[in-house]
Amino acid sequence: MKVFISGYGKMGHIVEKLLREKGLECSGVSEDVTSADVRTAAESVCIDFTTPQAIRQNYVFLAEHFKAVVIGTTGWDDIRDEVTGCFEKNKTTLVYSSNFSIGVNVFFRLAEEAARLLGGAGGYMPYIEEKHHCHKLDRPSGTAKMLEEIIASGMKVKPDMASVRCGEIPGIHTVGFEGMNDRIALTHEAFSREGFAEGAIEAAVKADSLAVGVYKFKDIIFRTN
């Protein structure tokens, strides 16, 4: 399997390092994916960690030229239907997520179950707090937005949201449920960016053999076949 890296910032460098450690071939790296050789693209799964603006400019190229694509970039929810529709039209496999950390995807499952149970019990008010490094462009984070969808679906109420941008925090997300007599809080804290890169590479490996389609990472990561 060949992997092309779109976006050569901190995440791109980590993905490249982990590919070498895993014995996987890196077919290229680029800050501007549209400059990629189309023959190389056709043989490669692309892992994209760029910017919301870059996704808007490049998603058509990604869908038209790559064997499959993994998008870890956040901040493009407003054009999600356009992006996924383009991949479906071009019959190119897409795996996307607001967060590729395996731990976070377990966290999503726990939050979903807590929201379902507490929504049924009644008497609890939900909230979300997320903290990230000062360089993060989107606020709230894509992960926080995903948690918001999960909580709203389970409790039929939109949680209050708070965002902090400070220093070099890789990412901390807390989901809280405030009751009259107690509080339940679930927290996931990332220690480094490597967990996100590990998950993205796992998604690329799966995307290479998945049936053509558009997938959320949380729906395929725990599949055994």
Side-chain angles (χ1 to χ4, degrees), residues 34-94:
T34 61
S35 65
D37 179 80
V38 294
R39 290 170 296 182
T40 300
E43 299 174 344
S44 303
V45 178
C46 180
I47 295 179
D48 185 286
F49 281 107
T50 53
T51 66
Q53 184 58 35
I55 289 295
R56 285 167 166 74
Q57 295 172 347
N58 300 335
Y59 75 84
V60 174
F61 183 90
L62 291 168
E64 289 180 346
H65 294 288
F66 281 92
K67 182 179 181 182
V69 178
V70 172
I71 298 181
T73 307
T74 60
W76 51 276
D77 282 357
D78 56 312
I79 60 166
R80 186 190 305 176
D81 290 346
E82 295 173 39
V83 174
T84 56
C86 182
F87 277 86
E88 289 167 349
K89 176 184 175 182
N90 284 280
K91 295 182 171 57
T92 301
T93 296
L94 169 66

